[in-house]
Amino acid sequence: MTTLQLAQLQVSGDLAGLLRDFMESEGDIHCELYTQLQAFSASSRISFGQWWALLDRLQQRFPKRHIGLELGQRVRPAHLGMLGYLTLASDTVAEALLEFQRYQGLLHDGDRASIELLEKRMVLSWSANYGPSTNLSDEVLVGGLLRFVQLMTGRDDLRPLAVDFTFVAPVDTQAYIEVFGAPVRFGQACTALEFPVAYLDLPVSNSDPGLKLLLERQAQAALAVLPHSEGFMQGLRRALLRAMQSGRANSAQVATSLNMSERTLFRRLNEQGLSFKVILAQTRTQLAQEYLRDKRLTLSEIALLLGYSEQSAFNRAFKRETGLSPRRYQQQADGT
């Protein structure tokens, strides 16, 4: 694949909040860039190309600073959305990294992280199958992941064994060494972060099995409704999911998430012989069936996850789509 294709793939709008929070902390809010960042909501998706452009513009406002490295150090759970809170609810670092690997698609399209154990080292790496990213974006990714490991364990002293970047070495590499506290190698075949294997057994300080169960089911359902191909329909279904999570599953909210007008959304759907109402109903039904088969969620919890104001509305909608009440669907799934 080419760089252009990667630029057209998407990342979570939660990441725009990272830049917005940085500008607020610097008191730099009276500018066009900050205004643009405010337009991106957590329920939106933006293209890699947009993300790269935003990072470049922020770097231009602070030309003497290493913006990518600084942003990585400021990453918080809210900047990773559902994925951030899911990893924090895990029991150990090993479990959290596996969740990160498994559900990374909720954060961005394209290349996924791979985990490899080599004697006393654990290597987390990203290929460049979709083409190269930008220096700033990779700095945020790697620096942010390190910061997240520190946050989940409550151990600011944790350091990697080594860090690899695919881009050529900059003139000044000292800032990288200071941030990572480890050897940093440039011009490598892939972007990678190496940790001691012992880190995998460290407990997560905010572990919450109940919350993790709920978030994991939601993440599984989120990935289940996504088509395998990248494009408009994938972005639409993700926007629908996020709109349901926020309790605003309407066409106006979804269109805003996709950075288009409601009229354009309807036109795009009509071109494919689809309607917003039908797509929303199908997505909700598929998610509901995933949740109901699991049976660890109550009907009221499922209704809330699907964006219904009350359980009775969920019951009516599910029966209209499937011919069965949610309870009867569960009984049939169990063979009773």
Side-chain angles (χ1 to χ4, degrees), residues 226-243:
L226 297 180
H228 295 295
S229 61
E230 309 286 355
F232 169 68
M233 289 305 298
Q234 179 171 2
L236 173 61
R237 292 185 184 275
R238 284 178 170 161
L240 280 171
L241 176 71
R242 290 172 175 268

Side-chain angles (χ1 to χ4, degrees), residues 34-312:
Y34 182 76
T35 300
Q36 182 180 358
L37 289 170
Q38 286 185 302
F40 296 116
S41 66
S43 61
S44 67
R45 300 282 286 186
I46 61 178
S47 70
F48 267 99
Q50 288 176 297
W51 168 242
W52 296 338
L54 292 171
L55 287 172
D56 287 340
R57 289 177 62 188
L58 186 60
Q59 179 67 77
Q60 291 166 11
R61 296 190 69 81
F62 300 90
K64 296 183 179 181
R65 295 167 63 172
H66 295 84
I67 290 300
L69 297 177
E70 287 195 44
L71 288 173
Q73 292 179 290
R74 295 178 184 234
V75 165
R76 296 294 182 271
H79 301 135
L80 304 183
M82 185 198 308
L83 181 61
Y85 294 109
L86 175 58
T87 53
L88 278 186
S90 301
D91 291 330
T92 64
V93 170
E95 185 179 284
L97 290 177
L98 287 174
E99 297 289 8
F100 178 82
Q101 180 188 34
R102 185 178 184 184
Y103 298 113
Q104 196 175 354
L106 299 176
L107 182 63
H108 66 78
D109 300 329
D111 297 304
R112 302 288 187 267
S114 63
I115 299 176
E116 186 177 9
L117 297 180
L118 301 171
E119 296 182 353
K120 296 182 179 181
R121 295 176 297 135
M122 184 278 295
V123 182
L124 189 67
S125 62
W126 292 263
S127 69
N129 293 333
Y130 287 79
S133 182
T134 66
N135 299 12
L136 289 173
S137 185
D138 282 347
E139 289 166 4
V140 175
L141 171 65
V142 178
L145 185 56
L146 171 60
R147 183 57 187 150
F148 214 76
V149 171
Q150 294 170 339
L151 286 173
M152 71 172 67
T153 58
R155 293 276 303 276
D156 289 345
D157 61 314
L158 295 185
R159 293 291 182 270
L161 294 173
V163 177
D164 288 350
F165 288 109
T166 57
F167 54 84
V168 298
V171 176
D172 177 17
T173 61
Q174 185 59 35
Y176 294 84
I177 297 173
E178 292 175 357
V179 167
F180 295 110
V184 180
R185 300 174 295 216
F186 300 92
Q188 302 300 303
C190 63
T191 302
L193 191 60
E194 295 184 15
F195 286 116
V197 169
Y199 281 9
L200 296 177
D201 294 326
L202 292 175
V204 175
S205 56
N206 293 315
S207 176
D208 187 332
L211 177 61
K212 180 177 181 293
L213 176 62
L214 179 63
L215 292 173
E216 189 169 43
R217 290 305 303 161
Q218 195 167 355
Q220 288 173 352
L223 291 181
V225 301
L226 297 180
H228 295 295
S229 61
E230 309 286 355
F232 169 68
M233 289 305 298
Q234 179 171 2
L236 173 61
R237 292 185 184 275
R238 284 178 170 161
L240 280 171
L241 176 71
R242 290 172 175 268
M244 284 187 282
Q245 293 167 357
S246 67
R248 295 173 293 178
N250 56 67
S251 56
Q253 174 66 25
V254 171
T256 299
S257 298
L258 294 171
N259 297 313
M260 64 177 63
S261 68
E262 201 171 3
R263 182 176 179 179
T264 299
L265 172 61
F266 291 149
R267 178 179 57 78
R268 294 286 298 276
L269 286 169
N270 186 59
E271 288 172 352
Q272 301 187 44
L274 301 171
S275 74
F276 179 82
K277 185 177 180 179
V278 170
I279 291 294
L280 175 60
Q282 289 177 345
T283 302
R284 274 177 158 165
T285 301
Q286 187 171 356
L287 282 168
Q289 290 171 333
E290 290 282 338
Y291 291 140
L292 290 167
R293 281 195 292 267
D294 183 79
K295 291 183 63 176
R296 285 176 289 185
L297 295 174
T298 66
L299 294 183
S300 60
E301 287 173 331
I302 294 173
L304 180 63
L305 288 172
L306 296 176
Y308 290 100
S309 57
E310 53 188 28
Q311 183 184 324
S312 59

